[in-house]
Amino acid sequence: MDTAPDRRRFELIVIGASAGGVSALQALLAAVPAGLAMPILVVLHLPRDRPSRIADLLDLRCPLPVREAEDKQPLQDGTVTFAPPDYHLLVEDRHTLALSIDPPVLYSRPAIDPLFESAAEVFGAGVLAILLTGASSDGSEGVAAVRQAGGQAWIQSPDDAYSSLMPASALAYAGADAVLPLSSLCVHMKGLER
């Protein structure tokens, strides 16, 4: 299904990644248009017992500011916000983010499913979910929730991923609106409406 994704205007982008995700996110976020006027929320599976420098690292490559989330912070257009270690990142409403210490999902906190599911509940068809490389099935239920709410799911081709389990699991469970190698995901990211 290496087809061109739907070009609708989205209100929110949510991204999930695990094993191999740092390099995939470096490429994808470098392709974000500088004037993109919507929030981007990211979950990368992280060790729960130490601080993360991922937001600082990716802030150097992304045309938009990259920050680590704080509880009850406003949802900000034109900003990339990462889940911090040991907290799930949730979309609380159309204006606010929340952090949760609910139990880990598939041994991960932060986990992708809670972010995708909360985004789908609040933004419905306005959500673009992008699932990248990873070595668990986290993200599968979240992709299903986004698609059931009318949003779009773009998934990295399993044969292109550093670890194919996460994208393959989501495809088997929920399908996708586009299945693309990382290089094509980057091209389509560049083409998103500002």
Side-chain angles (χ1 to χ4, degrees):
M1 187 193 293
D2 191 4
T3 58
D6 184 344
R7 285 295 192 192
R8 78 174 75 171
R9 185 169 178 83
F10 299 102
E11 298 176 87
L12 175 69
I13 299 172
V14 291
I15 302 172
S18 184
V22 173
S23 60
L25 286 165
Q26 285 178 322
L28 189 67
L29 293 179
V32 171
L36 191 68
M38 71 183 82
I40 299 176
L41 307 177
V42 185
V43 166
L44 174 66
H45 288 170
L46 296 165
R48 297 200 307 248
D49 56 351
R50 60 181 184 266
S52 170
R53 304 295 297 171
I54 189 67
D56 294 336
L57 171 70
L58 294 178
D59 191 45
L60 300 173
R61 294 178 175 253
C62 182
L64 300 179
V66 180
R67 305 289 179 258
E68 191 171 275
E70 296 179 9
D71 192 35
K72 306 304 181 190
Q73 81 174 52
L75 191 56
Q76 298 175 302
D77 287 343
T79 301
V80 179
T81 304
F82 270 79
D86 208 23
Y87 290 92
H88 296 306
L89 176 60
L90 306 173
V91 178
E92 186 168 83
D93 57 39
R94 294 185 75 84
H95 307 287
T96 314
L97 299 174
L99 298 180
S100 161
I101 55 169
D102 284 345
V105 175
L106 297 168
Y107 308 102
S108 293
R109 188 174 64 205
I112 298 162
D113 282 334
L115 172 61
F116 284 19
E117 290 166 350
S118 65
E121 184 175 329
V122 173
F123 282 91
V127 177
L128 169 59
I130 301 175
L131 191 66
L132 301 172
T133 177
S136 84
S137 59
D138 185 21
S140 296
E141 291 188 13
V143 166
V146 167
R147 298 192 76 214
Q148 286 165 5
Q152 288 263 312
W154 300 356
I155 295 181
Q156 184 176 7
S157 303
D159 58 4
D160 178 66
Y162 175 86
S163 181
S164 64
L165 178 59
M166 184 177 286
S169 173
L171 283 170
Y173 184 78
D177 298 285
V179 181
L180 300 163
L182 182 61
S183 58
S184 295
L185 288 171
C186 292
V187 169
H188 291 297
M189 181 67 87
K190 285 179 185 174
L192 288 174
E193 291 186 38
R194 301 167 188 229

